Amino acid sequence: MAGVIEGVKTVSSAVRTVLLALLVAVIGGGAFFGYREYTARERLVGEQAEKLEQAEQQLVSLKGDLQSRLVEIERLNVDLQLKVQQIEKLETALHLLKTDQRLAQLRVKGITRDEAGGVLTSQLEFVELSPTGDAMSAPKLFELPGDVIYIDNWVVKFDDEYIERADLQRGTSLCLFRRIFSEQQVPTEGFSLDAVGMRPQAYARGGAMTEFEQQLWSEFWEFANNPKRAAELGIRAANGEAVSIKVREGMQYNIQLRASGGLSIDPVKVEAP
């Protein structure tokens, strides 16, 4: 009996040992798995935090890059606007440099011929025009020997920069019609068109002649002979010009002035009434 009891005790002790070992194993395993889960979560949190920090750094970098690009775009926009303005200015200047102003018309009223058909005299009508093309005064009538007609002028040309800026006083060349004569006359035998010192009719906008304009014509030959003096007023050239044309019946001739240049004669056929 005592042996049985002793055996039961031994078995009980072994069972307890086994159960204790199992309990320790379970607790150890739970602790291991718990620790592993905890550390896994810690790693995950750390990785997420690192990724978040990297994302924030990238966002800051992108924000800085975006700001830099916005500044660059703004600078390019400003440069573009300046270039557009420069292009518009150059186009305007080019247009002005090529613009012809019609200053006057020379109209052929008739040509007298001898029995052989040779030209004796030309009856002409000269009228100065406003910027809109209207006559500024009553036509002046002349009868000149022959048919090769000269129109003598004084022309003042300004530096291109004034023309490009459309300067109010120097934005175009200026012309003073002096006299009209034919090749069969000496110039002094010609007829006066505009009196020296008077405001040219082609530039009469109303009102009195400005001091600047009066100075131009009263000191014309000084400017023509003194480049330094001329440069002080922005004058590129001051010289006399005589344009000529062999007139024909049924024609009229537009006398034009380019903003940066001199005079030209444009023939126009007159339609029969």
Side-chain angles (χ1 to χ4, degrees):
M1 186 69 172
V4 172
I5 294 171
E6 187 66 28
V8 169
K9 289 181 177 179
T10 302
V11 170
S12 297
S13 176
V15 169
R16 285 197 299 272
T17 301
V18 171
L19 290 174
L20 182 61
L22 289 173
L23 180 60
V24 170
V26 169
I27 294 173
F32 172 75
F33 285 113
Y35 175 75
R36 189 177 65 178
E37 184 68 18
Y38 173 77
T39 55
R41 290 183 179 180
E42 285 291 318
R43 286 197 302 274
L44 181 60
V45 171
E47 289 174 357
Q48 293 298 326
E50 184 177 354
K51 289 180 180 179
L52 180 60
E53 183 178 358
Q54 291 176 352
E56 290 177 345
Q57 291 176 351
Q58 290 177 352
L59 182 61
V60 171
S61 177
L62 288 173
K63 184 178 179 181
D65 186 54
L66 178 61
Q67 185 67 29
S68 176
R69 290 180 182 275
L70 288 174
V71 171
E72 179 66 13
I73 290 173
E74 181 65 23
R75 185 187 68 79
L76 291 175
N77 283 332
V78 172
D79 288 345
L80 179 61
Q81 291 176 1
L82 290 175
K83 291 187 183 300
V84 168
Q85 292 174 357
Q86 290 174 352
I87 291 172
E88 290 177 347
K89 182 178 178 181
L90 288 174
E91 288 178 344
T92 300
L94 184 61
H95 172 72
L96 288 172
L97 291 172
K98 292 183 176 181
T99 297
D100 289 334
Q101 301 179 66
R102 191 170 58 169
L103 304 183
Q105 279 184 347
L106 182 66
R107 302 165 182 167
V108 181
K109 307 305 291 184
I111 294 179
T112 303
R113 301 178 183 273
D114 59 24
E115 294 180 356
V119 175
L120 295 175
T121 62
S122 298
Q123 294 80 48
L124 307 169
E125 188 177 81
F126 182 87
V127 58
E128 294 189 54
L129 304 175
S130 71
T132 59
D134 299 321
M136 298 186 62
S137 62
K140 298 175 181 178
L141 300 175
F142 305 100
E143 184 170 9
L144 302 175
D147 58 357
V148 177
I149 308 302
Y150 287 80
I151 299 176
D152 183 27
N153 321 272
W154 284 353
V155 178
V156 176
K157 305 170 188 176
F158 297 100
D159 292 332
D160 289 345
E161 64 179 285
Y162 295 105
I163 298 170
E164 293 168 4
R165 295 204 307 260
D167 186 274
L168 290 177
Q169 294 192 116
R170 303 173 179 86
T172 181
S173 298
L174 299 180
C175 172
L176 176 69
F177 292 115
R178 293 295 316 285
R179 62 174 67 92
I180 184 170
F181 58 94
S182 76
E183 70 173 353
Q184 296 183 21
Q185 297 174 295
V186 295
T188 55
E189 295 175 348
F191 296 94
S192 176
L193 293 174
D194 272 338
V196 176
M198 299 297 291
R199 185 188 188 91
Q201 291 185 26
Y203 294 94
R205 305 289 192 267
M209 178 185 288
T210 65
E211 292 183 5
F212 176 74
E213 293 169 315
Q214 189 165 358
Q215 182 182 14
L216 286 180
W217 304 123
S218 63
E219 300 181 40
F220 179 81
W221 290 120
E222 173 64 19
F223 294 130
N225 288 282
N226 190 335
K228 183 178 179 181
R229 181 80 177 88
E232 292 174 358
L233 294 184
I235 296 173
R236 175 167 57 89
N239 54 263
E241 290 187 13
V243 292
S244 63
I245 189 74
K246 185 171 184 175
V247 297
R248 293 180 178 177
E249 294 98 332
M251 299 290 291
Q252 70 181 24
Y253 302 91
N254 293 329
I255 302 168
Q256 302 181 127
L257 178 68
R258 180 154 289 183
S260 63
L263 290 164
S264 62
I265 297 179
D266 180 30
V268 179
K269 188 171 181 61
V270 178
E271 295 294 335

